[in-house]
Amino acid sequence: MQYYSELVLPRIIELACGSKRLVDWRKLATDQLFGRVAEIGFGSGANFGLYPSSVSKVIAVEPSRVAMRIFDKKMARQNIQSEVDIVRLRASAIALPLKDASFDCVLLSFVLCSVGDSATAMAEIKRILAPNGKVVFVEHGLAPTLGVQKVQFAFNRTEQRVAGGCQLVLDAKLIISNAGFEVSVIKTGYGPGPRPWGYMTVGVGVLS
Ligand SMILES: C[S@@+](CC[C@H](N)C(=O)[O-])C[C@H]1O[C@@H](n2cnc3c(N)ncnc32)[C@H](O)[C@@H]1O
């Protein structure tokens, strides 16, 4: 199982999350970013290339060494030079080795579902955000349609087992609001792929 989660899963995530059909959803979130950004659960860098010019620095926080290696290989293969100053940090959202109030924005993309203790992760995010900082998110989660919800609850446990703890039934807006942020939703709806995996919310949270 360790072999699967450490070596195989990051490659599956790269295929699933790297889909070009997600780019428009991602851009709705990344367009909100500015200044110093901490991207939590950077994965293999699916948002890389979508940061606007208003971003001055990105700290890419990711616990998986393999995901980071996939990112490095992609960069080398495509001979991409980053226009943004990007620093990688192997760490978990629930214990961020980052200074208090040191970021203008935190980006969460398809990661709240996997962090496990989302309340602790949100407390950490709150700690590292500067006053007037924003948490920007694009997340999949609990669908509003009853039939889809039934499938989500039915598959939730299996999903957690095969997809690194990923939950299908979380409500990102609620998790972020419960952490003390005032959340503005930019867009919700079904994205590409099967509906139980594809109900998306894009939004921005500011400290209230
Ligand atoms: C579904 S992937 C999304 C990757 C990327 N953010 C994207 O948009 O494609 C979830 C990522 O969150 C990472 N992750 C899981 N638990 C985490 C934690 N506690 N802290 C930070 N990242 C975590 C995983 O290693 C994985 O790379």
Side-chain angles (χ1 to χ4, degrees), residues 13 17 26 40-43 46-47 62-64 92-93 109-111 114-115:
I13 289 174
C17 290
R26 291 181 181 281
I40 311 294
F42 180 79
N47 295 312
E62 170 57 49
S64 163
S92 165
S109 102
F110 307 109
V111 66
S114 306
V115 295

Side-chain angles (χ1 to χ4, degrees), residues 1-203:
M1 198 62 186
Q2 202 180 348
Y3 173 84
Y4 171 78
S5 61
E6 286 180 11
L7 296 175
V8 180
L9 186 60
R11 292 181 167 88
I12 296 175
I13 289 174
E14 158 67 7
L15 285 176
C17 290
S19 164
K20 288 200 167 39
R21 295 193 298 158
L22 286 171
V23 168
D24 288 349
W25 286 92
R26 291 181 181 281
K27 261 192 79 51
L28 287 173
T30 55
D31 281 353
Q32 309 300 316
L33 299 171
F34 63 94
R36 299 152 299 170
V37 174
E39 179 170 351
I40 311 294
F42 180 79
S44 43
N47 295 312
F48 182 80
L50 303 179
Y51 308 125
S53 56
S54 49
V55 170
S56 55
K57 180 171 186 135
V58 174
I59 302 288
V61 177
E62 170 57 49
S64 163
R65 205 175 267 142
V66 171
M68 287 295 203
R69 219 179 294 140
I70 296 171
F71 172 67
D72 284 340
K73 281 189 185 161
K74 245 179 356 190
M75 295 281 285
R77 206 171 42 235
Q78 297 168 17
N79 197 17
I80 300 170
Q81 301 297 321
S82 174
E83 283 170 24
V84 179
D85 182 11
I86 181 159
V87 175
R88 275 92 56 76
L89 184 62
R90 190 158 178 247
S92 165
I94 59 173
L96 292 170
L98 296 167
K99 284 191 189 143
D100 293 1
S102 53
F103 290 90
D104 300 299
C105 296
V106 166
L107 174 61
L108 298 172
S109 102
F110 307 109
V111 66
L112 268 182
C113 57
S114 306
V115 295
D117 183 351
S118 56
T120 303
M122 286 311 303
E124 279 291 84
I125 287 165
K126 207 165 157 178
R127 180 183 65 72
I128 65 166
L129 273 174
N132 305 321
K134 292 181 187 174
V135 55
V136 176
F137 64 96
V138 48
E139 293 282 348
H140 72 95
L142 188 64
T145 324
L146 222 78
V148 179
Q149 278 190 6
K150 276 189 187 163
V151 180
Q152 290 182 313
F153 279 104
F155 277 93
N156 198 43
R157 224 177 243 186
T158 310
E159 174 76 1
Q160 280 184 270
R161 244 181 265 133
V162 301
C166 171
Q167 298 217 41
L168 297 173
V169 297
L170 295 187
D171 178 339
K173 182 184 177 215
L174 187 67
I175 292 170
I176 296 168
S177 306
N178 285 347
F181 289 86
E182 202 167 294
V183 176
S184 309
V185 171
I186 295 169
K187 185 173 176 177
T188 57
Y190 290 102
R195 290 189 153 207
W197 283 264
Y199 186 74
M200 320 267 275
T201 305
V202 183

